[in-house]
Amino acid sequence: MAHRALRIITAAVLAGGVLTACTTEPATTGTTGGTGKGSSDGKLVLGFAQVGAESGWRTANTKSVRDAAEKAGIELKFSDAQQKQENQIKAIRTFIQQKVDVIAFSPVVESGWDTVLKEAKNAGIPVILTDRAVDSQDTSLYRTFLGSDFVKEGQEAGKWLVKEYGGTSAPVNIVELQGTTGSAPANDRKAGFAEAIKGDPKFKVVASQTGDFTRAKGKEVMQAFLKSHEDIDVLYAHNDDMALGAIQAIEEAGKKPGTDIKVISVDGIKDAFVAMKEKKINVVVECNPLLGDQLMELAKKVAAGEDVPRRVETKEGVFTQDQAAAALPGRQY
Ligand code: GYE
């Protein structure tokens, strides 16, 4: 027993020391995992490999998962990968060694998961993708996906722009702050937006670069955009944090965000609603991070061997400045 506990601690340390909560206890007495055997106190054990803490959205998502696990009586083994795929792979391998009942993770990028997902499959541990998708051809490597339609979010952003500039044929110069390179939301939000504006040649994306979904990088990249392009009409940011960082850069350059440069953003965190109320952001496409309860439901079902839908999507809206003040008090994240 002592040996076993030691092995588990060692594995957790090897995983980059990022595993918190329960890493000092053996997780389960089962030998194959994924059979609903649960922890030593009979609880279902869920290993959750989170992306990181890069944004307000992510913080809300983590809180939702932690709260929901507690409410559902599920033992959560939580790992923060600090936006690095290698850390997520290590965390998943640790969960496999610990013989958790279910593994859930939000893949930082779309590709490169087949090997570790096969290891989970061979160990008989069901995997749930939350929030972000993988591009694996073999869809038997995971049981379900829970999250948003990012292509649709990009399309909504583009549709707003097409409507906003409906009455003019003058060129509209757009700069784009992309999310983390290779991530599903960056790929899909870019594609959806491009598709929505492609019918009208007046829309030109004059610069498009990653800001890695953070405020600091959003600001930094926007500063560079402002230096190299004098005539920016619109900023499309793949998330609110980058938009908020960029707004600082726009203001420091002596321009008015929301007026001189229109700002389109995605997520819908409270800070973005405040900025919208102050007329600094023009429109926010909502992306709901509160996935915890649905995740726990799915975890229980897959652990019990029940069928679940291949894809579970969250419902989301689009908010404009005239709705911001009324919506703000009701925002939960
Ligand atoms: O939009 C962004 C976060 O994967 C949907 O990740 C999520 C995205 C979200 O960093 O703020």
Side-chain angles (χ1 to χ4, degrees), residues 271-289:
D271 286 355
F273 272 79
V274 172
M276 228 185 343
K277 209 175 135 189
E278 292 168 350
K279 314 273 182 235
K280 294 178 181 180
I281 292 182
N282 299 76
V283 62
V284 169
V285 178
E286 188 180 34
C287 179
N288 188 356

Side-chain angles (χ1 to χ4, degrees), residues 50-59 61 83 106-108 130-133 148 150 153 179-180 183-186 189 212-214 238-242 266-269 285 287-289 291 316:
Q50 180 60 293
V51 169
E54 73 283 4
S55 65
W57 189 100
R58 189 65 54 199
T59 307
N61 179 248
Q83 284 191 284
S106 178
V108 59
T130 79
D131 156 37
R132 296 185 183 178
S148 308
F150 300 135
E153 290 169 354
T180 301
S183 69
R189 286 173 186 166
D212 215 10
F213 282 131
T214 69
H238 289 187
N239 84 340
D240 291 337
D241 287 83
M242 293 190 295
V266 187
D267 275 357
I269 62 170
V285 178
C287 179
N288 188 356
L291 306 177
E316 307 174 326

Side-chain angles (χ1 to χ4, degrees), residues 184-306:
N187 293 342
D188 294 354
R189 286 173 186 166
K190 187 175 195 305
F193 182 79
E195 196 197 310
I197 62 167
K198 75 165 186 252
D200 191 336
K202 75 178 175 231
F203 293 115
K204 283 196 188 70
V205 179
V206 295
S208 180
Q209 255 185 55
T210 182
D212 215 10
F213 282 131
T214 69
R215 277 186 206 209
K217 288 240 177 81
K219 181 174 179 183
E220 194 184 300
V221 177
M222 190 68 203
Q223 279 169 337
F225 284 166
L226 286 160
K227 273 194 195 124
S228 47
H229 300 273
E230 274 177 10
D231 47 358
I232 301 170
D233 300 301
V234 175
L235 161 68
Y236 168 44
H238 289 187
N239 84 340
D240 291 337
D241 287 83
M242 293 190 295
L244 293 164
I247 283 171
Q248 283 177 24
I250 296 171
E251 286 177 333
E252 285 169 19
K255 294 193 173 176
K256 256 183 120 175
T259 308
D260 298 334
I261 297 179
K262 299 217 163 118
V263 180
I264 307 172
S265 175
V266 187
D267 275 357
I269 62 170
K270 267 190 196 141
D271 286 355
F273 272 79
V274 172
M276 228 185 343
K277 209 175 135 189
E278 292 168 350
K279 314 273 182 235
K280 294 178 181 180
I281 292 182
N282 299 76
V283 62
V284 169
V285 178
E286 188 180 34
C287 179
N288 188 356
L290 308 179
L291 306 177
D293 289 333
Q294 282 169 295
L295 174 59
M296 298 312 141
E297 280 306 306
L298 288 168
K300 283 183 186 167
K301 285 192 176 153
V302 298
E306 286 174 35

